[in-house]
Amino acid sequence: MFKQVTAGRALLAGLLLGAPVFAQWPGWGGPNRDFKSDCRSLSDRWPDDGPKQIWNRELGPGYSSIVVDGDRLYTMFRKGDDEIVVALNAKTGETLWEHAYSAPVPEGMDPQFGKGPNATPLVHGDRVYTLGVAGMLHCLEKSEGKLVWSHDLLAEYSAKVPAFGFSSSPIAYKDILLTAGSGTGSGMMAFDLQSGSLYWKAHDFENVYSSPLLIQVDGQDQVVLLADTQVVGLNPTNGELLWSHSHVNQWKTNISTPVWGNDKILYITAGGDAGSRALRLSLKDGKTQTEE
């Protein structure tokens, strides 16, 4: 189901094709969380024998992918019992700053597929937001890595650690940071981007691994989450449940990020016996209609 990987153990930073090209990739799935890049300049510059490696460097184990902001790269990795958020010079691989904090494997987490971190950082404005495998949520200054605010989702909000650790990558909506939690009343949470104060928390989702996705259904903003046994649409401003649709697999591990198309069709998939399904979403009399 999982395979332990190393975050950038041989991290390719640029291509020796003239000036390096750094497509902006501020979080999981790119600028729109659709895994598409607006950068097209490589298509006619890619050599037949592949690009020449400029640099590589050691980091550490984890599943966090790498995000790009200007000429900087940000990611997370593990070192012993610590998780480390790191900023790198994209041209050289040089460490610009690191922020380390204690993140031992929490009680109730199964480390057989790795000890994390699992989620990908989010760069938004002048800050970097991260969620660690043990539920530590951090907001850091992206320039120097100074801590702005943090929360322990387990200790402060009675969240429950998913079986394989917190894995959902946060996303920003207006002045709110949205992140999946886990457990009774903490299945989804929203914090003020600037101060870190709690906007709302709601729902009893458990074992949430999928990352939330922002969509618009006939003009209405929604945040979609593939949770333990269902896919749901929520009001991002207050957490109100707008709709839900069953998507069950034998492990209760719905992991993949949903895909949203211009045709108003939401595509979801999971391992095991759940398979895949497509839902057409629409509004009627102010309520979301789902058609499988």
Side-chain angles (χ1 to χ4, degrees):
M1 182 165 54
F2 293 99
K3 181 180 180 181
Q4 176 68 355
V5 297
T6 297
R9 187 166 291 277
L11 179 60
L12 183 62
L15 306 175
L16 196 59
L17 306 173
V21 175
F22 304 114
Q24 298 305 289
W25 201 261
W28 172 246
N32 301 308
R33 196 156 280 194
D34 59 1
F35 302 91
K36 296 179 181 179
S37 172
D38 293 333
C39 179
R40 298 290 183 266
S41 57
L42 291 181
S43 59
D44 55 0
R45 302 171 66 196
W46 195 276
D48 292 339
D49 56 353
K52 181 179 179 180
Q53 178 178 287
I54 297 175
W55 57 262
N56 66 62
R57 59 160 293 170
E58 294 286 321
L59 288 176
Y63 292 105
S64 297
S65 59
I66 297 160
V67 299
V68 184
D69 180 68
D71 58 358
R72 290 189 174 200
L73 310 177
Y74 298 88
T75 190
M76 300 171 67
F77 62 93
R78 174 168 289 275
K79 186 176 182 180
D81 278 343
D82 289 347
E83 284 182 333
I84 298 175
V85 185
V86 63
L88 308 174
N89 184 317
K91 297 179 181 179
T92 66
E94 173 190 6
T95 296
L96 299 175
W97 57 257
E98 289 185 351
H99 179 82
Y101 58 93
S102 179
V105 174
E107 183 178 353
M109 175 182 159
D110 185 345
Q112 66 172 305
F113 299 118
K115 300 178 181 180
N118 299 327
T120 294
L122 170 70
V123 177
H124 185 78
D126 59 357
R127 297 180 178 181
V128 180
Y129 301 88
T130 66
L131 179 62
V133 72
M136 290 298 300
L137 183 67
H138 284 91
C139 171
L140 308 169
E141 291 182 353
K142 74 176 184 182
S143 59
E144 298 180 6
K146 294 181 179 179
L147 179 65
V148 180
W149 55 261
S150 67
H151 289 296
D152 183 334
L153 302 189
L154 297 179
E156 296 178 53
Y157 302 108
S158 301
K160 179 182 177 182
V161 63
F164 304 111
F166 288 88
S167 305
S168 184
S169 300
I171 194 170
Y173 172 76
K174 296 183 178 180
D175 57 351
I176 301 173
L177 182 74
L178 298 165
T179 186
S182 191
T184 304
S186 301
M188 191 73 183
M189 311 180 76
F191 297 88
D192 184 278
L193 282 166
Q194 298 301 312
S195 68
S197 60
L198 181 69
Y199 256 76
W200 55 262
K201 68 183 186 78
H203 307 296
D204 299 340
F205 311 137
E206 294 190 8
N207 284 344
V208 180
Y209 303 104
S210 179
S211 298
L213 176 70
L214 290 167
I215 68 172
Q216 195 173 77
V217 180
D218 293 337
Q220 182 187 66
D221 292 338
Q222 299 188 6
V223 57
V224 171
L225 183 67
L226 184 56
D228 40 16
T229 60
Q230 60 188 318
V231 57
V232 300
L234 309 176
N235 183 331
T237 62
N238 58 19
E240 174 193 2
L241 180 67
L242 301 175
W243 60 270
S244 67
H245 194 95
S246 178
H247 192 73
V248 181
N249 70 70
Q250 65 263 47
W251 301 305
K252 294 185 178 181
T253 49
N254 290 328
I255 297 170
S256 300
T257 305
V259 176
W260 175 247
N262 292 331
D263 50 9
K264 298 190 291 186
I265 294 178
L266 185 73
Y267 174 80
I268 56 177
T269 190
D273 57 357
S276 305
R277 56 176 24 99
L279 303 176
R280 178 176 284 109
L281 305 182
S282 60
L283 277 186
K284 184 177 180 180
D285 298 327
K287 296 183 178 181
T288 303
Q289 310 295 311
T290 61
E291 175 192 356
E292 185 167 289

